[in-house]
Amino acid sequence: MSLVTLLPFIVLIGAMFLMTRSAKKKQQQAADMRNQMQPGSGVRTIGGMYATVKEVSDDTVLLDAGPGVDLLFAKNSIGAVLTDDEYNRIVHGIEHDLKSDSDVVPDDASSLTDSAAADDSADEAAASDDKSVDLGKKDGPDEAQEKDAESEAPQAEADEEPKKTDGDSDAKK
């Protein structure tokens, strides 16, 4: 046989070897992670449940899922062992803030301005509340508006009356 006909088979066997090697490597890493579990560490199961490890044996893990809820799982069902910060962030909603408290942004901008400017702006705001705002409405007698409304009412009633037809309609047949 020639080398050209054997080349596809050699490439296929090489690819299969590389794929099985990477899968074995991932399995080994997962086994090492599961063997490093200790009581008190937070874990996530492959089903997505978060719990705390209570006891570890050869093939099983006893998890504390809540007050009075102890669950027995196979070691293979542990998807990830979490750090304390990550577990508290996910389960309890506690954010570990690495920044100092001086970097906190205030909710409003009033604390960012000096007090003299704040007093002046407060006085201006109080003065502007006293002025009336023109919204474009003309002040005029309400009688003229009432007369216009009365003259439109009979026209609306006339439009509402049904019109008599011969029975022909413009609808498609």
Side-chain angles (χ1 to χ4, degrees), residues 121-133:
S121 63
D123 293 338
E124 291 174 9
S128 66
D129 289 343
D130 295 340
K131 298 176 185 175
S132 63
V133 178

Side-chain angles (χ1 to χ4, degrees), residues 58-150:
D58 292 338
D59 294 333
T60 60
V61 178
L62 185 64
L63 299 179
D64 182 21
V69 180
D70 293 336
L71 304 169
L72 186 63
F73 276 85
K75 253 189 181 179
N76 292 338
S77 66
I78 302 301
V81 177
L82 307 172
T83 62
D84 290 339
D85 289 339
E86 187 177 12
Y87 182 77
N88 287 332
R89 179 182 59 83
I90 293 170
V91 175
H92 302 296
I94 300 170
E95 292 287 335
H96 181 68
D97 192 12
L98 299 175
K99 296 181 180 181
S100 65
D101 293 336
S102 63
D103 295 341
V104 175
V105 177
D107 290 341
D108 60 347
S110 63
S111 63
L112 299 176
T113 59
D114 61 334
S115 61
D119 292 340
D120 292 342
S121 63
D123 293 338
E124 291 174 9
S128 66
D129 289 343
D130 295 340
K131 298 176 185 175
S132 63
V133 178
D134 183 21
L135 298 176
K137 183 176 178 182
K138 303 286 183 185
D139 292 335
D142 291 336
E143 297 172 5
Q145 293 174 356
E146 289 177 7
K147 288 181 182 176
D148 291 340
E150 290 174 3

